[in-house]
Amino acid sequence: MNPRATAAGLGLAAAACVIVPLFFPAHWIFLAITAAVVAIIMQSYGVIVGRAGMMSLCQMSFAAIGAWVVLRLNLLDAPGGFLLWLVLGGLAAVPVGVLIGLPALRIRGVNLAVVTFGFAVSTDIVLNAHQFPGTSELKTVERPAWFAGDGGYFVLTVIVFCLIALGLSRFNRTRLGMSWLELRHSERAAASHGVSVARSKLAAFAISAFVAAIGGGLMAGQLGLVVAQNFSMGQSLAFFAVAILIGPHHVDGAVMGGVFGTVMATVLERLRLPQDLGGMLFGVFAILALRSGMSQTDFVQMRRRERAARKLLDERDDRPAVVPAPAPPGPPLLEVRGLSVRFGEVSALHEVNLTVPEGTVTGLIGPNGAGKSTFIAAVTGFIGGYAGGITLSGRPLDGLRPEARAGRGLRRTFQTTVIPAELTQYEYLTIGAGRRLERAEADELLRYFGCPPGPVPVSLLDAGTRRLLDVAAAVAARPKVALLDEPAAGQSAAESRRLAARLAEVPERYGVAVLLIEHDMELVSAVCSQLTVLDFGRVIASGPTAAVLDDPAVVNAYLGIAAAPLA
């Protein structure tokens, strides 16, 4: 959220706080309160569905927890008053959100939706069997004195909405907040950047549960008393459809979701149309949004960024392709000894040895199916159960998860880039760096690797430039070793020569040794001081680049006269 948009949004909120209570009839004020409360609950969908990309169908169950706590404390005449009860209701939902989020560590997609829907069904059963506190006593919630009337209560709901929106906006600019977008696109890519997938998922569930419970508490304050039907599983499903369609992780999307979720029933009634039509329309539009992979507000926001950044697209550093001589090997950094990987009866890697010395670019090549991708996946922790040992700066990495290995100083790129299109290059570099990245440092990295300026969104970049951005993000973390998986794919011959010049300088310029997996032999021979060749999962040659490329076994492998596969 940029400062201008924030100021405009706060101005509109202030205007609504004045106009609605003074000029609207009581019925419309009540609807406005409902819209504001629903908009708050939609922000919880914005966190879990919009940013983290997880299918949660139980947000209204979290809202019910907030309402239950507020009503219980009101019945007990607990000290602190409504505003404190509201916060306590939100906090009470956090551990439940974490508990519901635990299955998300192992399952995703429709399976996760089934689990969360099961919680919503269970909550429905419990709420229908046990009334909310105060129902039998007919003791309604006591609102704060300043916000006792409906007009004042509308002002309170708008204030709470704005506070949550500003808090989420600030949180979304943190590395954890931005990592949710990457998590939505690829958990593997997030883990390779040192992001703890488990912590990110549980944080998303916890924060979304807190926000939803705040909305539930406000609903209790609006109605005085609530019933199970206010938090039914059907409500969770309907709001989920709205979230998929509109995208409530943007403030304007949350407001639209609140208005549509509230006013749709009234509009259909005035038009004398069946109420089920609203649900059908949202369902159809939600399916379309799922097929496109983008909500309406995502699309609008991305197009705004693109219009603002198009004039910057051609500003990049296309320096001459002058490749310095490869540096002599230093002491070993990454050491792989006897690495073997089996998938059932198939031996993908067999006792592979490889060393990446400090201050060098080391190459790993081989025909398709030779085991290169399996090697990089095993070294970076995406394949467990291998035999052999892997050390980095003398410290063993065996048994560590991918994010832990990334934290130790081992970063990788993937053959297929999965960079969220909604991010700017600045934002993606921040995720990759795993630390606060100064704007000047980010600008220097982008210029060096031939990328457009930082404000340009990823959606405007071609496939080749996205690969360069991926390499820049890996280097931005200043790891000990960066494993680059075919970074020259999608590059023209001239671009590949410029990439060779840049990669050759990376060890000295940024203090990052490189293991280069590549099919471009011209690039490999230009930048790599050492070379290892795989064929059918085993090393057939290793040593200085020139000698390896002249090895008859290597020539035969690349001409298709390969060694026999392993038994």
Side-chain angles (χ1 to χ4, degrees):
M1 185 186 299
N2 62 60
R4 185 175 298 177
T6 302
L10 291 176
L12 288 173
C17 288
V18 173
I19 294 172
V20 171
L22 291 179
F23 300 102
F24 279 61
H27 174 66
W28 285 101
I29 294 176
F30 181 84
L31 287 179
I33 295 172
T34 305
V37 170
V38 174
I40 290 171
I41 296 174
M42 292 305 300
Q43 289 188 87
S44 79
Y45 282 93
V47 171
I48 194 69
V49 177
R51 293 191 71 84
M54 291 182 282
M55 298 179 69
S56 174
L57 304 180
C58 63
Q59 298 306 109
M60 291 305 291
S61 300
F62 298 138
I65 294 173
W68 194 94
V69 170
V70 168
L71 289 166
R72 170 58 67 182
L73 294 175
N74 178 70
L75 182 63
L76 297 174
D77 292 319
F82 178 76
L83 296 179
L84 176 61
W85 304 343
L86 196 63
V87 175
L88 292 176
L91 293 175
V94 169
V96 181
V98 172
L99 185 63
I100 299 302
L102 288 175
L105 304 185
R106 292 189 174 273
I107 60 176
R108 58 184 66 87
V110 175
N111 292 331
L112 179 59
V114 170
V115 170
T116 57
F117 187 66
F119 175 63
V121 172
S122 301
T123 304
D124 257 14
I125 295 172
V126 172
L127 293 180
N128 279 292
H130 304 279
Q131 293 181 333
F132 278 89
T135 304
S136 57
E137 297 85 355
L138 295 179
K139 184 174 182 180
T140 59
V141 174
E142 184 178 346
R143 297 175 180 174
W146 287 8
F147 307 105
D150 279 355
Y153 198 74
F154 171 73
V155 173
L156 174 62
T157 57
V158 171
I159 291 173
V160 173
F161 174 85
C162 291
L163 289 175
I164 291 175
L166 289 172
L168 289 177
S169 175
R170 290 183 64 86
F171 186 83
N172 289 340
R173 291 197 294 271
T174 66
R175 182 170 182 258
L176 178 58
M178 285 188 288
S179 73
W180 283 340
L181 287 178
E182 187 173 39
L183 195 71
R184 187 176 78 183
H185 285 73
S186 171
E187 294 181 13
R188 289 167 61 86
S192 73
H193 288 143
V195 174
S196 171
V197 174
R199 186 180 68 175
S200 294
K201 287 185 172 184
L202 294 180
F205 266 100
I207 292 173
S208 72
F210 176 82
V211 174
I214 292 292
L218 287 170
M219 186 183 297
Q222 176 194 11
L223 301 176
L225 291 171
V226 295
V227 294
Q229 286 71 25
N230 294 125
F231 306 99
S232 67
M233 58 185 178
Q235 287 278 61
S236 287
L237 285 171
F239 288 162
F240 175 78
V242 174
I244 293 296
L245 171 62
I246 294 178
H249 48 297
H250 302 292
V251 173
D252 50 351
V255 173
M256 290 169 61
V259 172
F260 287 169
T262 303
V263 178
M264 178 63 75
T266 302
V267 171
L268 291 174
E269 182 181 350
R270 294 289 178 89
L271 295 175
R272 298 182 180 179
L273 294 173
Q275 292 293 323
D276 290 342
L277 180 60
M280 292 173 60
L281 290 175
F282 276 128
V284 170
F285 287 129
I287 291 172
L288 294 176
L290 281 171
R291 289 190 65 185
S292 67
M294 188 176 299
S295 68
Q296 297 304 305
T297 49
D298 275 333
F299 182 80
V300 171
Q301 292 278 352
M302 195 166 68
R303 288 295 177 260
R304 284 177 186 166
R305 282 183 163 184
E306 288 179 354
R307 284 196 297 271
R310 280 190 184 278
K311 60 184 178 182
L312 301 174
L313 259 184
D314 294 330
E315 296 180 23
R316 60 180 75 198
D317 181 6
D318 289 332
R319 64 185 64 198
V322 179
V323 183
L333 272 181
L334 177 66
E335 294 184 275
V336 180
R337 292 288 175 263
L339 182 63
S340 298
V341 176
R342 296 189 69 89
F343 300 110
E345 297 300 317
V346 177
S347 180
L349 293 175
H350 181 69
E351 296 186 356
V352 173
N353 297 319
L354 186 145
T355 298
V356 179
E358 181 180 351
T360 63
V361 179
T362 300
L364 176 64
I365 65 172
N368 289 330
K372 303 185 298 298
S373 296
T374 302
F375 176 88
I376 193 172
V379 169
T380 52
F382 289 97
I383 293 177
Y386 55 78
I390 302 168
T391 60
L392 185 65
S393 297
R395 300 175 64 188
L397 299 180
D398 308 303
L400 296 181
R401 295 180 59 82
E403 59 267 24
R405 299 189 189 206
R408 291 277 184 92
L410 195 65
R411 293 298 177 96
R412 67 163 295 181
T413 63
F414 292 85
Q415 287 184 14
T416 303
T417 57
V418 282
I419 307 174
E422 305 95 308
L423 295 176
T424 65
Q425 293 182 104
Y426 280 143
E427 291 168 340
Y428 187 66
L429 284 184
T430 299
I431 296 174
R435 58 187 171 86
R436 181 177 176 82
L437 195 64
E438 297 296 332
R439 187 61 62 91
E441 183 181 359
D443 287 335
E444 191 277 334
L445 275 163
L446 292 172
R447 282 196 302 271
Y448 181 76
F449 283 102
C451 300
V456 174
V458 174
S459 58
L460 287 179
L461 304 181
D462 57 54
T465 305
R466 293 189 189 198
R467 287 191 175 276
L468 297 177
L469 176 61
D470 228 2
V471 174
V475 173
R478 298 294 197 273
K480 294 181 175 67
V481 179
L483 288 74
L484 308 182
D485 198 351
E486 300 188 18
Q491 309 282 335
S492 67
E495 290 168 337
S496 181
R497 285 192 292 273
R498 283 194 290 268
L499 177 60
R502 289 165 175 136
L503 291 179
E505 295 181 9
V506 163
E508 182 178 355
R509 187 183 185 102
Y510 298 107
V512 178
V514 174
L515 177 62
L516 178 65
I517 296 89
E518 186 53 70
H519 284 292
D520 186 333
M521 289 298 101
E522 183 179 351
L523 188 154
V524 168
S525 61
V527 304
C528 296
S529 56
Q530 301 285 315
L531 193 59
T532 297
V533 185
L534 288 178
D535 193 24
F536 289 111
R538 60 185 174 187
V539 175
I540 60 173
S542 185
T545 299
V548 168
L549 291 178
D550 288 338
D551 190 301
V554 175
V555 174
N556 287 340
Y558 273 90
L559 288 175
I561 313 170
L566 298 172

